[in-house]
Amino acid sequence: MDRRHLSSTFVLLLFISFFSEVNPASFKIVNKCRHTIWPGFLSGANTAHLTTTGFVLKPGKSRTVTIPKSWSGRLWGRTLCGVDSSRKFVCQSGDCGSGQIECSGNGAKPPATLAEFTLNGAGGLDFYDVSLVDGYNLPMLIVVKGGKGGNCSATGCLLDLNGACPSELRVARQNGGGGVGCRSACEAFGDPEYCCSGAFGTPDVCRPSRYSLFFKHACPRAYSYAYDDTTSTYTCAGADYVIMFCPPPYTSQKVFGARKDGALLPLVNKSMLYISSLHANGASLSGLLQLQSTVPAASFTMAIFLFWQLILTL
């Protein structure tokens, strides 16, 4: 009896272990932007492929994608998309070059805000981040649902940086009408010092630049350059994830209040909330930094208040 009992217990534990290993995660993709976006997915090498690599998502809509356990890859949002004269599907920002809505193994053309994941990695943990290393095109927030282990913190870049983007990094919308992206210094200039390549290919030599610090100051938890691991990589285990584009102010405020998550930095630098509206035509980085250092704290507070009032009336 004891031997049969031990045998059945072993089988039960094996059964539970097996299904906990293969249990997939869910990614709920939410579009809170006032315009349509086209999320794209790229699976990493030697990882399972997804049932979709791109789709359309109207304002206010969401779609849940089942993600295989142990999946690694990235996702992003494409904007201002349509069919060109050669009948190819193209986007002004985040385009993956496939010529169709499905990206089919192609990644985003920079600049693009990226959500990066490695599920069930070292120690059974999920590793995730929001990266601006390839530049920025949309506000993005990752929120963990359930899960245990790690810190399971929210992360992202919640501010609209297209209007505030330094002029030397700014990507203008075709036919005018404002910016659609903000390039990284690596993409803009190709300098090894900005790209952490060549002689600058190690973390002790490649340091944050004044351009990466622009991104880091606005979005403290997001990756701003290649070796920004310490304050930008987050972990959890057995979780589902919500990836929200253009998170609204009340979501931001709710997350601001949830600061007991062990993260080293706040989710957003609230003193920079004003800049996208005040610098809609772009400005030099030195001008932005000089203005920020001279605006009184009271002006920051008033700008933030007016920002919330404007958004809440839209």
Side-chain angles (χ1 to χ4, degrees), residues 20-261:
S20 64
E21 282 295 315
V22 300
N23 186 39
S26 70
F27 284 9
K28 184 177 181 180
I29 317 299
V30 183
N31 181 13
K32 291 293 185 180
C33 304
R34 291 180 291 171
H35 53 81
T36 299
I37 62 171
W38 288 260
F41 286 84
L42 176 65
S43 297
N46 302 317
T47 192
H49 293 288
L50 305 180
T51 56
T52 180
T53 58
F55 53 87
V56 61
L57 200 59
K58 299 288 186 179
K61 300 298 183 181
S62 66
R63 177 170 170 176
T64 298
V65 179
T66 299
I67 308 295
K69 209 63 180 173
S70 301
W71 180 82
S72 67
R74 54 179 51 178
L75 66 103
W76 67 97
R78 295 168 286 173
T79 67
L80 299 170
C81 301
V83 178
D84 67 10
S85 58
S86 62
R87 307 299 299 170
K88 290 184 178 180
F89 181 81
V90 295
C91 303
Q92 288 194 35
S93 82
D95 188 55
C96 61
S98 67
Q100 54 190 347
I101 293 178
E102 295 276 349
C103 285
S104 303
N106 293 339
K109 177 182 177 181
T113 311
L114 302 174
E116 301 178 314
F117 289 87
T118 296
L119 302 184
N120 197 29
L125 291 173
D126 299 341
F127 294 80
Y128 59 96
D129 66 80
V130 167
S131 175
L132 307 181
V133 174
D134 286 347
Y136 167 98
N137 72 327
L138 282 171
M140 181 191 287
L141 174 67
I142 298 176
V143 177
V144 178
K145 294 295 184 182
K148 58 186 178 180
N151 48 32
C152 300
S153 301
T155 188
C157 185
L158 277 62
L159 304 185
D160 183 354
L161 300 182
N162 286 330
C165 182
S167 57
E168 55 268 43
L169 304 180
R170 188 168 179 264
V171 177
R173 180 173 179 168
Q174 294 175 12
N175 303 320
V180 296
C182 191
R183 295 186 294 174
S184 67
C186 175
E187 173 71 15
F189 310 121
D191 192 320
E193 183 175 0
Y194 296 136
C195 298
C196 294
S197 61
F200 295 89
T202 58
D204 58 325
V205 178
C206 191
R207 309 302 300 168
S209 69
R210 62 191 185 121
Y211 293 107
S212 70
L213 288 174
F214 164 76
F215 292 114
K216 194 66 175 178
H217 190 58
C219 305
R221 296 192 187 183
Y223 259 91
S224 59
Y225 80 110
Y227 295 115
D228 196 10
D229 306 79
T230 304
T231 60
S232 303
T233 300
Y234 295 90
T235 58
C236 199
D240 295 317
Y241 297 90
V242 177
I243 298 92
M244 186 180 297
F245 291 94
C246 308
Y250 68 83
T251 302
S252 307
Q253 289 289 62
K254 182 178 180 180
V255 176
F256 293 155
R259 287 293 295 118
K260 297 179 181 179
D261 58 8

Side-chain angles (χ1 to χ4, degrees), residues 280-300:
N281 295 320
S284 69
L285 179 61
S286 59
L288 286 173
L289 295 178
Q290 181 179 9
L291 176 62
Q292 184 185 351
S293 65
T294 57
V295 174
S299 297
F300 275 128

